[in-house]
Amino acid sequence: PKMASNLFLTRVLFLFLCTLLPSCSHSASLGVVDGLPKIHPIEHASILFTYNVNGNNLYVYNDPVDAKGRGYFQKLPKADIITITHSHSDHFQPKTLRLLFKADTMIVGPPDVIENLTLLGFNAKQLVELKNYQNTTLGQFLISAVPAYNTGPNPHHPPGKWNGYVINFKGQTIYISGDTSYIKEMNDNFGFVERFDHSFLCMNLPYTMSVEEAANATAAFLPKVVTPDHYRNADNSFGNLTLFTDLVKEKAPSVVVDLMNFYPNGPVDCKH
C-alpha cells in the first residue's frame, strides 16, 4: 500500500539523516502521513509539532514541561499555539510556558489551567478555555477538546474535568489523549467520522493505560498511525513498547505503530 511504502522510505531517510547528526535522541519525526507536521518528541507528554503554513513554520506544543531542568525549551522555537491537557505538574509548568510565550502565542486548556494562568498574569486575550466537546478555531487550526479520564473508583483523573485534544489542520487530524483510561468515548472515535491520521496515547501505570489497555483502545478507534507517549510508570520502569506493537499488529493490523523516544536514555533505540 502507498502509506506503507511512504513509511518505509521515510524511515530509511531518517536513519540516513541520523548518521549525519551528533545525537538523535530527540530528533524530529519526518511524519508518516502526507500533510501532517514534523513531530519532535521532547519528554513524557511534551511534543512539538512543526507545521508549514504558507511557507512559514508554525509551532504547536502539547504539555511542555522540563521536569528535570535539562533545558530542552531554551533551544526550541517560541510557540504559536500551546495545548495543555490538565493541571498535573508533569503536564503543566508555567515557567516553561513563559519561556515559550510571545506576543501572539495562544494557550488552550481546561478551566482550572486557564484560571491558574490568569492568576499568574498571563494575558487573558491569549488564553482559550475549553471543556470536553468544545472547540476553537485559531487561524487554520480547529482544536477540539475530548474527554480524558480514569474509570473506576477514586479516579486520579476524574471525568469531565480535563481534556484530550484533536488538532485539525487542513483536514489532517492529530489526537492527543492526555491522561486517560480506555474510555467508552473511544469506541465511536469521540464522535468523529474520519479516522485520526496520528494518535498519541498515554501508557503508564497506575495513572493511565496499561500496555494491553492502550492496544485495546487503539483497536477500538483505529487511528491510521499510533504512537505511545507518557510511557514511564510510577516506579520509573517503562511500558513495554515491543508488546504494544505486537498487540496492535494482532488486534488492529491496519494501524501503523510509530515508536518515538520520549525519554533521554530511555527504552527506545535512536531510530526515530
Side-chain angles (χ1 to χ4, degrees), residues 69-91:
R70 292 188 170 97
Y72 302 136
F73 297 97
Q74 295 175 6
K75 306 171 186 177
L76 293 174
K78 300 289 187 181
D80 293 287
I81 297 172
I82 301 172
T83 55
I84 306 295
T85 61
H86 64 292
S87 56
H88 287 164
S89 61
D90 58 332
H91 295 258

Side-chain angles (χ1 to χ4, degrees), residues 9-50:
L9 291 173
T10 293
R11 283 177 169 162
V12 168
L13 175 60
F14 187 81
L15 286 169
F16 170 73
L17 290 174
C18 270
T19 66
L20 305 179
L21 296 170
S23 170
C24 58
S25 61
H26 282 288
S27 297
S29 164
L30 298 182
V32 296
V33 178
D34 291 341
L36 287 176
K38 293 182 180 179
I39 301 168
H40 185 128
I42 301 171
E43 187 172 16
H44 199 50
S46 300
I47 314 171
L48 166 60
F49 302 102
T50 303

Side-chain angles (χ1 to χ4, degrees), residues 30 35 40 66 94-95 126 136 144 147 187 195 225 243 245-246:
L30 298 182
H40 185 128
D66 187 0
K95 69 176 183 180
Q126 293 176 256
T136 186
S144 302
N187 293 328
R195 296 169 66 187
V225 181
L243 176 59
T245 301
D246 290 343

Side-chain angles (χ1 to χ4, degrees), residues 113-163:
V113 166
I114 299 305
E115 180 182 6
N116 195 324
L117 291 174
T118 301
L119 292 173
L120 289 171
F122 282 77
N123 186 345
K125 294 181 179 180
Q126 293 176 256
L127 305 177
V128 179
E129 177 184 301
L130 290 185
K131 299 177 182 178
N132 292 174
Y133 293 114
Q134 293 181 331
N135 62 64
T136 186
T137 299
L138 300 174
Q140 298 182 61
F141 291 83
L142 174 63
I143 300 176
S144 302
V146 295
Y149 61 90
N150 293 138
T151 56
N154 303 314
H156 190 62
H157 305 90
K161 185 174 183 180
W162 292 319
N163 298 332

Side-chain angles (χ1 to χ4, degrees), residues 204-218:
N204 80 329
L205 293 175
Y207 302 119
T208 66
M209 289 185 273
S210 67
V211 171
E212 293 80 5
E213 193 178 7
N216 289 336
T218 300

